[in-house]
């Protein structure tokens, strides 16, 4: 068995990898949304507050002058407990009039400032808005972004934990799933390896669940059943040939030896003719065996066509009527008209001929034979001979099987085997029953699924 | 008759050739497909005997090529392949008859005679005559010496088959195939019983027999001498 498959080429690994990748993507997307919804929102809130404060103070400056603005700023700073508000009010000459910012660029609009050395451990980051005042003054309102940054790092940490956890879970899930796939594939692989090694009867494990693996296993098992059946047929044929051709071959050999020892031309001629006759019956057995094997292989199904079953039955009855009469038998027919079927005309003809032949041969001399075709459609042949005991009815369908009582009559025991094979090929049910007295054989063909073209 | 035999097995070819020559026929022999095709195209043979499995060009291909070239010489396929589909395939390729190996020489002989003497379709007769036996194909009536003989449809076909081959040996299997379309060999003597019934219907006690049994070969219908 080939074991060269590397671990990274296994389905399990690929499934795990894909699972992980998807987990990571999901976590990243989720974190992005969370960031936008929280930190982004907080920053926007902050900017709004700065903007509003600037507006109020600028309004105060316009109404009450720069001095009153300075008082307002000092009052705000005095009330700020959190220490996150920053202001700078500069005179037109640049002198600081109020506020807790030492200096700042005199640039109107938004800016990000960094304070240095104001608090020891950190240098706060400020979001600042510069507004020029009427009369040449300049106002800067700023807020510490620190709390937002704290929230941000908190979120990042959380995202890290969640992502890590998801990854771990994904890895575990992927491994579990992969391991399941690997284990079941390995079980199927091992089972098939045993079949390959010659244990043709071994089958793949099938759980009751019925997932795609079970369906696959069931399908493979069904294919193996079929192969095994065909192999058994083949073995059966080989065995049959080996065992049952030995007798006629021995007889042939005897005849030829007799011919060699024959004292005169007449004796030599008679023995040779007898040997030829033996050859002929051997060839007939071969032909019958080959035909049964061919029918059993199922290849003939390709040639199935609609056929007139009534006409077929009438022809076969007509062929055998004189032969039956010769044995004093009366051949009665009850053939329903216009019955069609889908199948192989030649094989069905031969199957029915074999049944009638048996009836003529094994039926009572001077008795009655009945051939019926019912609209099911079903072919029935009855005779009033000795019949077949119930415990033998299955065995007579096998090749070369002959009832003890029939051994004295000519035949090789292949007729019913062919009928059985033809029945199987057509999906027909072959039943051997009791005609009280005699044998009743019924060949029930599957009902035609569609009406014949042109039919009602 | 001038017969072309295309057969690669030297022993089989020798056996067939000897038999046909003894029966007074002229036999040409080719051992492979292209040679056979070449001979069949150039020489005027009455009938061809072609093995299906041949070196370089198989029998099917040979017959197809021959028919494509417009040569209508009757062809009998001789083959070890006697599967059910094989016969149909052979006939569809353009062969006129099909005989499975191994075969009785009498069977081959009878079939070759039938093929070579097959009447052309154009000169289809409406009345067949053998001695005082007359068959009207249009009215489907049979009379012997003016006396009407009642036949069942299949008996009529059997007699027609024989009368169309007057003087030729017709084998059991030829009758099974030609009259009943049976392509297998029944163990019971169905042909024998049908022929003897027909014979009884044709002949009164004072009339000479028309249908004769050729031992080990088959049947022949011919006018009394």
């Amino acid at each position: 068995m080939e074991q060269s498959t590397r671990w990274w080429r296994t389905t399990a690994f690929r499934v795990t990898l894909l699972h992980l990748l998807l987990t990571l993507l999901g976590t990243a997307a989720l974190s992005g949304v969370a960031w936008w919804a929280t930190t982004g929102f907080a920053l926007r809130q902050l900017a709004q507050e700065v903007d509003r404060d600037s507006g109020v103070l600028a309004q105060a400056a316009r109404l009450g002058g720069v001095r009153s603005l300075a008082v307002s700023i000092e009052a705000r700073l005095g009330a700020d407990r959190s220490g996150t508000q920053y202001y700078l009010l500069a005179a037109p000459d640049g002198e600081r009039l109020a506020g807790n910012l030492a200096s700042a660029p005199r640039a109107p609009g938004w800016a990000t400032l960094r304070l240095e050395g104001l608090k020891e451990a950190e240098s706060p980051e400020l979001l600042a808005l510069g507004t020029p005042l009427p009369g040449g003054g300049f106002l800067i309102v700023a807020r510490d972004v620190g709390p937002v940054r704290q929230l941000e790092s908190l979120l990042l940490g959380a995202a890290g934990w969640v992502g890590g956890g998801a990854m771990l879970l994904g890895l575990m899930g992927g491994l579990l799933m992969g391991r399941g796939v690997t284990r079941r594939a390995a079980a199927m692989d091992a089972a098939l390896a045993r079949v390959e090694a010659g244990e043709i009867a071994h089958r793949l494990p099938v759980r009751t669940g019925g997932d795609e693996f079970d369906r696959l296993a069931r399908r493979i098992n069904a294919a193996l059943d079929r192969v095994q059946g065909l192999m058994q047929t083949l073995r059966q044929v080989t065995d049959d040939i080996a065992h049952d051709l030995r007798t006629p071959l021995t007889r042939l050999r005897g005849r030829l030896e007799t011919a060699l020892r024959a004292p005169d031309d007449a004796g030599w001629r008679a023995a040779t003719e007898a040997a030829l006759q033996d050859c002929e019956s051997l060839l007939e057995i071969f032909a019958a065996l080959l035909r049964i094997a061919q029918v059993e292989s199922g290849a003939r199904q390709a040639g199935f066509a609609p056929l007139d079953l009534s006409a077929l039955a009438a022809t076969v009855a007509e062929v055998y009527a004189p032969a039956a009469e010769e044995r004093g038998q009366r051949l009665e027919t009850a053939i329903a008209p216009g019955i069609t079927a889908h199948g192989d005309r030649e094989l069905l003809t031969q199957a029915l001929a074999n049944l009638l032949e048996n009836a003529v041969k094994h039926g009572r001399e001077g008795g009655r034979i009945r051939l019926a075709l019912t609209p099911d459609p079903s072919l029935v042949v009855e005779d009033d001979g000795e019949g077949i005991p119930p415990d033998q009815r299955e065995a007579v369908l096998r090749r070369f099987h002959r009832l003890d009582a029939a051994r004295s009559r000519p035949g090789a025991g292949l007729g019913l085997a062919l009928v059985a094979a033809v029945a199987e090929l057509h999906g027909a049910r072959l039943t051997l029953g009791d005609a009280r007295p005699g044998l009743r054989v019924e060949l029930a063909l599957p009902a035609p699924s569609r009406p014949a073209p042109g039919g009602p | 008759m001038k017969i072309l035999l295309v057969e690669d097995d030297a022993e089989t070819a020798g056996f067939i050739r000897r038999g046909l020559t003894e029966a007074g026929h002229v036999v040409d022999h080719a051992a492979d497909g292209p040679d056979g095709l070449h001979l069949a195209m150039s020489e005027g043979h009455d009938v061809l005997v072609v093995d299906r499995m041949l070196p370089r060009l198989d029998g099917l291909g040979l017959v197809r090529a021959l028919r494509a070239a417009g040569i209508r010489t009757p062809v009998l396929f001789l083959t070890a392949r006697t599967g059910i589909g094989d016969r149909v395939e052979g006939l569809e390729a353009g062969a006129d008859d099909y005989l499975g190996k191994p075969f009785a020489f009498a069977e081959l002989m009878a079939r070759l005679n039938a093929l070579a003497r097959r009447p052309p379709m154009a000169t289809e007769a409406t009345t067949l005559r053998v001695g005082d036996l007359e068959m009207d194909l249009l009215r489907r009536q049979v009379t012997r010496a003016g006396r009407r003989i009642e036949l069942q449809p299949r008996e009529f076909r059997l007699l027609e088959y024989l009368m169309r081959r007057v003087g030729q040996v017709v084998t059991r299997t030829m009758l099974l195939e030609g009259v009943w379309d049976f392509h297998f060999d029944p163990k019971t003597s169905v042909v024998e019983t049908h022929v003897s019934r027909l014979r009884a219907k044709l002949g009164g006690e004072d009339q000479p027999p028309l249908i004769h049994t050729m031992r080990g070969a088959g049947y022949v219908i011919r006018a009394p001498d």
Side-chain angles (χ1 to χ4, degrees), chain B residues 127-136 141-145 163:
Chain B
T127 312
L128 301 173
R129 237 180 235 101
V130 176
D132 54 358
L133 181 68
E134 206 176 293
M135 173 178 271
D136 185 333
Q141 279 178 4
V142 177
T143 53
R144 183 160 189 197
M163 286 179 81

Coordinates of all heavy atoms in Angstrom, one line a residue, chain B residues 127-136 141-145 163:
Chain B
T127 N -45.1 -18.7 -59.0 CA -45.5 -20.2 -58.8 C -44.2 -21.0 -58.7 O -43.2 -20.8 -59.5 CB -46.3 -20.6 -60.1 OG1 -47.3 -19.7 -60.3 CG2 -46.9 -22.0 -59.8
L128 N -44.2 -21.9 -57.8 CA -43.0 -22.8 -57.6 C -43.5 -24.2 -58.0 O -44.7 -24.6 -57.7 CB -42.5 -22.9 -56.2 CG -42.0 -21.5 -55.6 CD1 -41.7 -21.7 -54.2 CD2 -40.8 -21.0 -56.4
R129 N -42.7 -25.0 -58.7 CA -43.1 -26.3 -59.2 C -42.0 -27.3 -58.9 O -40.8 -27.1 -59.3 CB -43.4 -26.2 -60.7 CG -44.8 -26.7 -61.1 CD -45.0 -26.6 -62.5 NE -46.2 -25.7 -62.8 CZ -46.2 -24.5 -63.2 NH1 -45.0 -23.9 -63.4 NH2 -47.3 -23.8 -63.5
V130 N -42.4 -28.4 -58.4 CA -41.5 -29.6 -58.3 C -42.3 -30.8 -58.7 O -43.1 -31.3 -57.9 CB -40.9 -29.7 -56.8 CG1 -40.1 -31.0 -56.7 CG2 -40.1 -28.5 -56.4
G131 N -42.0 -31.3 -59.8 CA -42.7 -32.5 -60.3 C -44.2 -32.1 -60.5 O -44.5 -31.0 -61.1
D132 N -45.1 -32.9 -59.9 CA -46.5 -32.5 -60.0 C -47.0 -31.7 -58.8 O -48.2 -31.4 -58.7 CB -47.3 -33.8 -60.1 CG -47.1 -34.8 -59.0 OD1 -46.2 -34.4 -58.1 OD2 -47.7 -35.8 -59.0
L133 N -46.0 -31.2 -58.0 CA -46.4 -30.4 -56.9 C -46.3 -28.9 -57.3 O -45.3 -28.5 -57.9 CB -45.4 -30.6 -55.7 CG -45.6 -29.8 -54.4 CD1 -46.9 -30.2 -53.8 CD2 -44.5 -30.0 -53.5
E134 N -47.3 -28.1 -57.0 CA -47.3 -26.7 -57.4 C -47.7 -25.8 -56.3 O -48.6 -26.1 -55.5 CB -48.4 -26.6 -58.6 CG -48.0 -25.5 -59.5 CD -49.0 -25.4 -60.7 OE1 -49.0 -26.3 -61.5 OE2 -49.8 -24.5 -60.7
M135 N -47.0 -24.8 -56.1 CA -47.2 -23.8 -55.1 C -47.5 -22.4 -55.7 O -46.7 -21.9 -56.4 CB -46.0 -23.7 -54.1 CG -46.2 -22.6 -53.1 SD -44.8 -22.6 -51.9 CE -45.3 -23.7 -50.7
D136 N -48.7 -21.9 -55.4 CA -49.1 -20.6 -55.9 C -48.8 -19.6 -54.7 O -49.5 -19.6 -53.7 CB -50.6 -20.6 -56.2 CG -51.0 -19.2 -56.8 OD1 -50.4 -18.2 -56.5 OD2 -52.0 -19.2 -57.6
Q141 N -51.7 -21.2 -52.2 CA -52.3 -22.6 -52.4 C -51.3 -23.6 -52.9 O -50.4 -23.2 -53.6 CB -53.5 -22.5 -53.4 CG -54.7 -21.9 -52.7 CD -55.8 -21.8 -53.7 OE1 -55.7 -22.2 -54.9 NE2 -57.0 -21.3 -53.3
V142 N -51.5 -24.8 -52.4 CA -50.6 -25.9 -52.8 C -51.4 -27.0 -53.4 O -52.4 -27.4 -52.8 CB -49.7 -26.4 -51.7 CG1 -48.9 -27.6 -52.1 CG2 -48.9 -25.3 -51.1
T143 N -51.0 -27.5 -54.6 CA -51.8 -28.6 -55.2 C -50.7 -29.7 -55.6 O -49.6 -29.4 -55.9 CB -52.6 -28.2 -56.4 OG1 -51.7 -27.5 -57.3 CG2 -53.7 -27.3 -56.1
R144 N -51.2 -30.9 -55.5 CA -50.3 -32.0 -56.1 C -51.2 -32.8 -57.0 O -52.2 -33.3 -56.7 CB -49.8 -32.9 -55.0 CG -48.9 -33.9 -55.6 CD -47.9 -34.6 -54.6 NE -47.0 -35.3 -55.4 CZ -46.2 -36.3 -54.8 NH1 -46.3 -36.5 -53.5 NH2 -45.4 -37.0 -55.6
A145 N -50.7 -32.8 -58.3 CA -51.4 -33.5 -59.3 C -52.9 -33.0 -59.4 O -53.8 -33.7 -59.5 CB -51.4 -35.0 -59.2
M163 N -38.9 -25.7 -51.6 CA -39.1 -25.7 -53.0 C -38.3 -24.6 -53.7 O -37.9 -24.7 -54.8 CB -40.6 -25.4 -53.3 CG -41.5 -26.6 -53.0 SD -43.3 -26.3 -53.3 CE -43.3 -26.5 -55.1

